């Protein structure tokens, strides 16, 4: 039977904590990795390494992060989309069928 290890960490005033090294090693956690919490009915909490969703795109995630930071830092730059622009987009793309699950052709890769 495997030995049970026990470790502690302390909550800061902002309810944050450092994940102890033994836990990081056991879960193979690196910087920016996510932790999954399972809360059981008796109050026991199980930590595990959250596996990234297969549909997560690191490039898209980085781009969305850039947009989020820019919006947060410069909210004055936000502009409403003009209704005429929306109509023009709908006219240009109307009737186009796209299968998001279809594989890309060699030309599109």
């Amino acid at each position: 039977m495997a030995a049970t290890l026990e470790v502690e960490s302390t909550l800061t005033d902002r309810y944050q904590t450092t994940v102890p090294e033994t836990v990081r090693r056991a879960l193979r956690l690196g910087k920016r990795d996510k932790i999954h919490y399972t809360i059981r009915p008796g109050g026991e909490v199980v930590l595990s390494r959250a596996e990234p969703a297969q549909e997560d795109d690191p490039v898209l995630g980085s781009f969305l992060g850039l947009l989020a930071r820019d919006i947060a830092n410069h909210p004055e730059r936000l502009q409403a989309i003009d209704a005429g622009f929306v109509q023009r987009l709908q006219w240009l793309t109307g009737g186009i069928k796209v299968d998001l699950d279809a594989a890309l052709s060699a030309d599109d890769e």
Side-chain angles (χ1 to χ4, degrees):
M1 185 161 128
T4 300
L5 297 175
E6 295 184 18
V7 295
E8 292 182 355
S9 63
T10 303
L11 286 177
T12 68
D13 292 337
R14 296 179 64 196
Y15 298 100
Q16 296 175 337
T17 190
T18 299
V19 177
E21 180 184 5
T22 53
V23 175
R24 291 193 312 265
R25 275 191 277 134
L27 297 178
R28 298 177 328 277
L29 293 171
K31 292 180 180 179
R32 313 302 298 165
D33 282 344
K34 293 186 179 193
I35 299 171
H36 177 81
Y37 298 87
T38 303
I39 303 169
R40 296 189 174 159
E44 182 181 38
V45 177
V46 178
L47 289 130
S48 57
R49 184 177 203 265
E51 296 300 328
Q54 290 182 0
E55 65 272 0
D56 285 353
D57 181 339
V59 174
L60 180 59
S62 295
F63 176 69
L64 293 175
L66 170 80
L67 289 178
R69 287 188 302 277
D70 190 55
I71 290 169
N73 292 333
H74 302 286
E76 70 280 1
R77 294 180 184 170
L78 292 176
Q79 297 179 3
I81 295 177
D82 177 86
F85 180 67
V86 173
Q87 288 176 346
R88 173 106 171 111
L89 288 174
Q90 289 171 338
W91 179 80
L92 289 169
T93 60
I96 296 175
K97 303 271 189 233
V98 177
D99 181 359
L100 297 176
D101 295 321
L104 293 174
S105 69
D107 292 339
D108 292 332
E109 281 287 334

